[in-house]
Amino acid sequence: MPHTSLHPSIPRPRSNKDKKAAFVLLSICLAALWELGEPADHILRWLVLHLASEQLGLLFKGLCSLAEEMCHVHSRYQGNYWRAVRACLGCPIRCGVLLLLSCYCYTFLPNTAGLPFAWMVALLGLSQALNILLDLQGLAPAVVSTVCEQGNFNVAHGLAWSYYIGYLRLILPGLQARIRTYNQHHNNTARGAGSHKLYILFPLDCGVPDDLSVADPNIRFLHKLPEQSADRAGIKGRVYTNSIYEILENGKPVGTCVLEYATPLQTLFAMSQDSRAGFSREERLEQAKLFCQTLADILADSPESQNCRLIVYLEAAEGCGFSLSQEILKHLKQEEKEEVTVGTMGPLGVPEPSTLDEEPQLLISDMDQPLPLRTDAF
């Protein structure tokens, strides 16, 4: 399911626009240097010297990080010192090559400032020490967010996979069979084309009441679906249950569906209320959006996705006239339009009586003699 179809506020994955902006900056700087009339070899010399200084400074920063990681070699790296070195300094071959190039640049390139090599190295070490002590090179929030999204380190990523593997993947395959069983005992109450799916409510503000009628009095609990049980993580016969709700409009029932909130949203809300989690309201909203996006991506590649539908909304953005029951009805009607009805039997209804259920009738011919099976007799 495309992210834009879930809700307009769901963010798209970050692309490579930062590299495009860097290319534009590169072009502008080259044009500026060309206008200044500086010789190309002079520009290249200073550029190589500056890059060498940056790489040497990063090497100093990695050595400072290594001093901390050496205290956690056994707990974080299973006693492997080589892994700790690689975690702080990266590939050793790369570090060695960069160190040799830096020394070459400082030794053999013309030193216009007239400063000795040892003095310049000491100055680089001093600047990196101040950067670490004063946190002058802290990562911007956008950079941290990008790293977490690309590495799947977000709280939302873990919640989405836990919700899918620990719940949706277990109940969705048998959902339609349970709805058929329910219909057989309740006069085809959930026989509509839009009633054969699990509708999952996604309030992005994470406001998840335990009673749906509190969110909207036009949503009325009807019945429970037949329970599903499974042995799970040492729990014998763990029970999974779902609820069927009736949607009212002008006091009259106009739709029926299996409905529930996405329960991990309660976790996000509780984390934002607990100071130990260090989770602000803004971070909660961001993680709720990423949770919805990640779950939609997971379901898009899963065969169980045809048995559920996400209803994403943000009441603050929808305005004061927002009605949850009307939002659900809109999805029900859209689902009915997308369904293709085959024959006279509803998607999950009990089959209608047909002529196959009637007593067979004998057809007796009025001819005196039976006809031969050969066609050449005529």
Side-chain angles (χ1 to χ4, degrees), residues 113-124:
L115 299 175
F117 174 71
W119 194 93
M120 298 180 69
V121 172
L123 188 62
L124 278 174

Side-chain angles (χ1 to χ4, degrees), residues 137-149:
Q137 291 183 341
L139 296 177
V143 177
V144 175
S145 177
T146 301
V147 172
C148 290
E149 286 185 31

Side-chain angles (χ1 to χ4, degrees), residues 177-188:
R178 292 165 61 203
I179 296 178
R180 290 192 188 97
T181 304
Y182 169 83
N183 281 332
Q184 290 175 355
H185 295 88
H186 293 86
N187 196 25
N188 280 352

Side-chain angles (χ1 to χ4, degrees), residues 70-127:
M70 283 299 177
C71 300
H72 309 280
V73 170
H74 295 286
S75 59
R76 295 180 183 270
Y77 304 100
Q78 291 75 47
N80 192 327
Y81 288 88
W82 186 245
R83 285 183 57 195
V85 172
R86 288 181 64 92
C88 297
L89 303 179
C91 178
I93 299 176
R94 176 178 175 272
C95 289
V97 171
L98 290 175
L99 183 60
L100 290 176
L101 286 177
S102 301
C103 294
Y104 172 82
C105 293
Y106 280 113
T107 304
F108 295 101
L109 290 181
N111 188 355
T112 56
L115 299 175
F117 174 71
W119 194 93
M120 298 180 69
V121 172
L123 188 62
L124 278 174
L126 177 63
S127 64

Side-chain angles (χ1 to χ4, degrees), residues 83-334:
R83 285 183 57 195
V85 172
R86 288 181 64 92
C88 297
L89 303 179
C91 178
I93 299 176
R94 176 178 175 272
C95 289
V97 171
L98 290 175
L99 183 60
L100 290 176
L101 286 177
S102 301
C103 294
Y104 172 82
C105 293
Y106 280 113
T107 304
F108 295 101
L109 290 181
N111 188 355
T112 56
L115 299 175
F117 174 71
W119 194 93
M120 298 180 69
V121 172
L123 188 62
L124 278 174
L126 177 63
S127 64
Q128 283 299 323
L130 289 175
N131 284 333
I132 295 174
L133 291 173
L134 302 178
D135 196 20
L136 299 178
Q137 291 183 341
L139 296 177
V143 177
V144 175
S145 177
T146 301
V147 172
C148 290
E149 286 185 31
Q150 292 178 349
N152 296 326
F153 302 142
N154 280 298
V155 173
H157 186 81
L159 286 178
W161 275 103
S162 176
Y163 185 54
Y164 170 71
I165 293 177
Y167 179 62
L168 294 181
R169 196 174 68 172
L170 298 176
I171 68 160
L172 289 180
L175 180 67
Q176 294 192 8
R178 292 165 61 203
I179 296 178
R180 290 192 188 97
T181 304
Y182 169 83
N183 281 332
Q184 290 175 355
H185 295 88
H186 293 86
N187 196 25
N188 280 352
T189 302
R191 65 177 301 176
S195 302
H196 69 290
K197 290 190 174 186
L198 172 64
Y199 290 82
I200 305 176
L201 299 175
F202 265 90
L204 295 178
D205 60 357
C206 298
V208 179
D210 294 325
D211 190 352
L212 269 169
S213 61
V214 174
D216 192 325
N218 288 319
I219 304 174
R220 186 171 63 187
F221 172 76
L222 200 58
H223 297 106
K224 287 184 179 180
L225 277 183
E227 295 178 348
Q228 176 179 335
S229 62
D231 295 342
R232 190 73 175 165
I235 303 173
K236 292 295 184 180
R238 184 168 187 172
V239 176
Y240 298 88
T241 183
N242 302 95
S243 301
I244 291 188
Y245 285 86
E246 196 172 46
I247 312 301
L248 306 179
E249 189 175 32
N250 297 324
K252 298 179 180 180
V254 291
T256 305
C257 63
V258 184
L259 189 65
E260 62 188 48
Y261 283 105
T263 51
L265 294 177
Q266 284 187 324
T267 302
L268 289 176
F269 186 83
M271 289 176 65
S272 67
Q273 302 297 310
D274 196 323
S275 59
R276 294 172 298 176
F279 210 58
S280 66
R281 292 180 60 184
E282 292 76 15
E283 291 171 330
R284 182 187 72 194
L285 178 61
E286 180 186 4
Q287 292 300 313
K289 293 178 180 179
L290 291 175
F291 168 54
C292 181
Q293 172 184 317
T294 306
L295 184 62
D297 291 339
I298 296 171
L299 290 173
D301 298 326
S302 305
E304 300 90 357
S305 61
Q306 61 182 354
N307 292 337
C308 74
R309 188 182 184 98
L310 308 182
I311 302 179
V312 186
Y313 60 94
L314 182 60
E315 291 193 38
E318 306 292 348
C320 58
F322 175 76
S323 172
L324 180 56
S325 58
Q326 290 299 316
E327 185 72 16
I328 297 170
L329 277 178
K330 183 178 72 174
H331 282 266
L332 283 172
K333 292 176 181 177
Q334 185 175 352

Side-chain angles (χ1 to χ4, degrees), residues 24-81:
V24 173
L25 179 61
L26 174 67
S27 304
I28 294 174
C29 293
L30 288 176
L33 292 172
W34 182 268
E35 284 293 327
L36 292 173
E38 293 289 337
D41 57 341
H42 183 68
I43 295 173
L44 182 61
R45 203 163 43 238
W46 276 103
L47 179 62
V48 171
L49 189 63
H50 180 70
L51 290 175
S53 301
E54 283 193 340
Q55 296 301 318
L56 195 57
L58 291 176
L59 181 61
F60 288 152
K61 185 177 181 180
L63 290 174
C64 294
S65 299
L66 183 61
E68 170 66 28
E69 295 305 302
M70 283 299 177
C71 300
H72 309 280
V73 170
H74 295 286
S75 59
R76 295 180 183 270
Y77 304 100
Q78 291 75 47
N80 192 327
Y81 288 88

